[in-house]
Amino acid sequence: MRGLNKSNNVPKEPAPTVTLRQAREADIPELVELNKVCFPAMAEEDVVWDPAHLRSHMRLFPQGQILAEQDGRIVGGISSLIVDFGDNPYRAHTYSGITDGGFFHNHDPQGDTLYGADVFVHPDMRGQGVGHLLYEARRELCQRLNLRRILAGGRLHGYSKHADKMPPEEYVRQVENGDLQDLVLSFQLREGFVVRGILRHYITDPNSLDNASLIEWLNPAYEEVERADGRKVRVACVQYQMRRVETFADFADQTEYFVETAMDYRADFVVFPEFFSVQLLSQPELRNLPALEGIEKLSELADDFLALMSRLASEYGIHIIAGSHPIKRNGVMENCCPLVFPDGSYELQPKLHITPSEKRYWGITGGNTLKVFQTPKARVGILICYDSEFPEAARHLTDNGAEIIFVPYCTDDRQGYQRVRVCSQARAVENQVYVVTTGVIGNLPSVPAMDIHYGRAGIFSPSDFEHSRDGIKAEGDSNVEMLLVSDLDIGDLYRSRHAGSVTPMLDRRRDLFSLQAHFADDPDALPGKPGKLRVRAPEHDAED
């Protein structure tokens, strides 16, 4: 980790109010120039990021790229990745090796160590507490992700002045004892890091003569968990038959039966199809309504539907991908899939791409948000039916960390089913991600636009040695009501991404193609924070 340079320990001005936020692609030109200003004496090929490096960092681990901003101007930042050192976390390494030439392609979301690759503060802002805030943000990230430690290589900034009198080990000892001050290591020690060793030939730097200290901060809140090699996720797909119901209670009983059965199989997720709640329009008082009136009536049942799903998720301790339900938000009718957590809380993922029949019959409008949801078992995304036929949606989810993509669908004939099925399997192959699909079957003669259905649940994987031969984990029987259950090995997913026969996630030609997303979500908010995190820098921090 490149350390923070400072000329003295006295703040130049009263501490500024700064904003911490996640880096985004539009920041890249400013970040390139800021790196040059912060590290003028260091060899460019080893330390100064270029746009390709920064794009890769933001793509592979966006949460780890955090900036400090004052009045719209970037004044500092940190860059991190996750690595797995196994049983030897203090082994010798180089900066280029641990960061894969600065591109972070070796970022391992299943690792247990947050590695500090960079920290920088604009010369005008040094000595004003900005570095402390950035280090605090890194510690918060480590704890939020439940990682065991933070490791970094801190260059011995002042060692060249003492190299003729002592080896680097003695230099570090004197800095630890307070007999010497080092502009990088002294700050890191004040931030709670301890030295675990010396890294020779770590980085090309005349000030340190290429030497660095291996420093560590242990996460006091770390909880031991099973990681990649043993992380299994069990999913249960409901191939749901549409049939008339007399009351909401009938619908609730049928839904609860499948949730309870999935729980009996110890599933982590149970997945219902798109629009399975339209079955509610077969109640006697709602039958044969015109399509637009029917969808309005169904949207009025959204609170009851969500309350049912929340109750079932909390009672049975399971995540529910609750198909989809029409929900009117800000006066606009959207087709939303609730992801319901075992505590009863939920998030809504709207359908982005609306089919011509949805627009024509029901007046549904496409949503404007696409999220990756963190769960204890996996990071998941949701694409509703037609969304699976647009490659950029799945690419966005996997670029942002999705390990499983759920695709609830509702198709009326074999052609429609094949479109969803073939595209979902293609998304699994090209993004090296699991894709879990399920659809409705049966018919609802009394409900317009829901008269016939064709469905077959399917669970798809990358096609490689770690996975099933044809890239098909499991498939149901066509048009038969059933529960399809399968285990997904997240460790296999990452092994195929990093060392498969082909590695499309690594081999993409980003010099030729780029993906830009424009969503209604706040792109600047740090994960886990309610919008931008505004903090006051301490007035008398002796750092940077």
Side-chain angles (χ1 to χ4, degrees):
M1 173 173 55
R2 297 173 294 180
L4 304 173
N5 298 322
K6 66 175 182 178
S7 56
N8 53 63
N9 292 335
V10 181
K12 298 177 182 179
E13 299 288 344
T17 299
V18 299
T19 298
L20 297 185
R21 65 170 175 84
Q22 190 171 294
R24 56 181 185 267
E25 190 163 353
D27 299 318
I28 288 177
E30 189 174 354
L31 287 175
V32 170
E33 293 306 312
L34 181 57
N35 265 250
K36 293 177 182 177
V37 170
C38 291
F39 306 105
M42 302 182 71
E44 185 168 321
E45 66 270 19
D46 285 323
V47 283
V48 179
W49 303 125
D50 66 24
H53 288 120
L54 295 169
R55 277 193 294 270
S56 184
H57 302 171
M58 296 174 196
R59 175 182 62 84
L60 292 169
F61 188 35
Q63 304 99 308
Q65 322 312 313
I66 300 173
L67 303 182
E69 188 176 60
Q70 182 191 28
D71 297 329
R73 171 191 175 217
I74 299 173
V75 296
I78 54 172
S79 184
S80 309
L81 69 156
I82 299 174
V83 296
D84 188 356
F85 278 101
D87 296 331
N88 186 15
Y90 309 137
R91 66 177 181 266
H93 57 271
T94 66
Y95 183 78
S96 180
I98 200 65
T99 64
D100 200 4
F103 284 96
F104 294 7
H105 288 155
N106 58 322
H107 167 69
D108 181 2
Q110 301 311 306
D112 65 354
T113 298
L114 186 66
Y115 196 89
D118 196 7
V119 59
F120 51 91
V121 174
H122 193 284
D124 293 347
M125 298 294 293
R126 290 171 185 161
Q128 299 187 37
V130 177
H132 169 73
L133 292 175
L134 291 168
Y135 266 62
E136 184 62 27
R138 183 176 278 160
R139 287 189 288 267
E140 289 179 2
L141 177 65
C142 181
Q143 292 183 313
R144 187 166 67 246
L145 297 180
N146 190 38
L147 299 175
R148 189 184 300 273
R149 62 174 66 84
I150 300 173
L151 277 181
R155 63 193 179 99
L156 301 179
H157 184 272
Y159 176 62
S160 62
K161 299 176 182 178
H162 303 270
D164 59 339
K165 300 185 289 291
M166 63 185 75
E169 288 84 357
E170 177 62 19
Y171 177 81
V172 167
R173 189 188 66 79
Q174 292 200 28
V175 174
E176 289 178 307
N177 292 339
D179 299 326
L180 291 174
Q181 288 292 310
D182 182 273
L183 297 180
V184 175
L185 181 56
S186 296
F187 166 66
Q188 293 165 337
L189 294 173
R190 290 195 299 273
E191 289 295 320
F193 284 80
V194 296
V195 177
R196 299 301 189 190
I198 300 296
L199 299 172
R200 289 177 168 80
H201 312 295
Y202 180 71
I203 195 169
T204 303
D205 170 37
N207 291 325
S208 65
L209 300 183
D210 305 345
N211 292 289
S213 58
L214 178 60
I215 59 170
E216 180 184 43
W217 179 82
L218 289 172
N219 177 6
Y222 175 72
E223 296 181 5
E224 192 73 40
V225 295
E226 250 188 345
R227 295 201 176 265
D229 287 342
R231 186 154 64 100
K232 300 286 185 69
V233 180
R234 180 165 294 177
V235 296
C237 303
V238 181
Q239 203 160 286
Y240 190 91
Q241 181 169 338
M242 303 296 265
R243 56 173 69 87
R244 281 186 175 183
V245 294
E246 297 299 314
T247 64
F248 187 95
D250 291 342
F251 169 77
D253 287 345
Q254 187 175 354
T255 302
E256 184 167 3
Y257 165 77
F258 284 110
V259 174
E260 182 179 14
T261 305
M263 184 273 293
D264 287 342
Y265 280 96
R266 300 187 300 278
D268 300 298
F269 293 88
V270 58
V271 191
F272 287 91
E274 178 189 26
F275 279 137
F276 84 109
S277 65
V278 177
Q279 186 181 32
L280 291 167
L281 291 180
S282 68
Q283 297 177 80
E285 67 273 18
L286 299 178
R287 291 174 190 166
N288 300 309
L289 290 176
L292 282 174
E293 186 178 347
I295 212 71
E296 286 285 343
K297 290 291 186 181
L298 189 60
S299 71
E300 293 171 7
L301 297 175
D303 288 345
D304 293 336
F305 175 75
L306 292 170
L308 169 64
M309 295 301 156
S310 295
R311 176 180 68 81
L312 295 177
S314 58
E315 285 186 7
Y316 291 98
I318 195 170
H319 293 83
I320 300 177
I321 309 299
S324 76
H325 189 89
I327 296 178
K328 185 169 283 189
R329 300 196 294 179
N330 299 319
V332 176
M333 188 72 74
E334 294 181 339
N335 180 9
C336 294
C337 175
L339 166 57
V340 191
F341 296 85
D343 64 359
S345 63
Y346 62 85
E347 296 263 11
L348 297 178
Q349 174 57 63
K351 189 173 184 177
L352 305 183
H353 304 87
I354 305 304
T355 64
S357 61
E358 286 177 278
K359 295 176 185 177
R360 181 170 64 251
Y361 289 110
W362 290 330
I364 290 177
T365 299
N368 298 309
T369 62
L370 184 60
K371 299 179 182 179
V372 173
F373 303 101
Q374 179 70 55
T375 74
K377 284 289 186 176
R379 286 182 295 277
V380 306
I382 298 169
L383 298 177
I384 303 174
C385 196
Y386 197 27
D387 287 338
S388 66
E389 300 176 33
F390 296 84
E392 58 270 23
R395 177 56 51 86
H396 172 80
L397 289 175
T398 48
D399 277 356
N400 284 278
E403 297 158 332
I404 305 171
I405 297 176
F406 293 102
V407 181
Y409 65 86
C410 173
T411 53
D412 55 354
D413 54 29
R414 187 178 177 90
Q415 292 93 325
Y417 153 74
Q418 285 290 354
R419 288 192 295 269
V420 173
R421 186 229 185 264
V422 171
C423 289
S424 293
Q425 188 167 14
R427 303 296 85 85
V429 171
E430 66 200 14
N431 295 293
Q432 296 184 286
V433 66
Y434 291 116
V435 179
V436 178
T437 73
T438 194
V440 294
I441 62 172
N443 59 78
L444 287 174
S446 60
V447 179
M450 295 293 287
D451 44 1
I452 59 172
H453 299 96
Y454 189 103
R456 185 184 187 189
I459 302 171
F460 307 107
S461 72
S463 186
D464 213 330
F465 293 113
E466 291 86 354
H467 305 285
S468 51
R469 185 188 66 181
D470 299 321
I472 303 171
K473 288 286 295 179
E475 276 192 297
D477 298 324
S478 300
N479 296 328
V480 176
E481 187 168 53
M482 63 178 295
L483 190 70
L484 182 68
V485 181
S486 183
D487 286 341
L488 308 181
D489 190 315
I490 304 300
D492 282 349
L493 193 70
Y494 285 100
R495 280 186 286 273
S496 66
R497 285 185 179 183
H498 291 287
S501 301
V502 293
T503 52
M505 289 298 289
L506 296 181
D507 296 336
R508 290 160 54 189
R509 288 292 304 274
R510 294 179 180 83
D511 56 326
L512 299 180
F513 306 100
S514 64
L515 176 65
Q516 292 185 335
H518 309 279
F519 293 117
D521 314 67
D522 179 6
D524 298 338
L526 285 173
K529 302 293 181 181
K532 293 183 178 180
L533 172 65
R534 294 193 177 275
V535 285
R536 188 79 178 174
E539 294 187 2
H540 302 293
D541 266 348
E543 48 85 306
D544 302 341

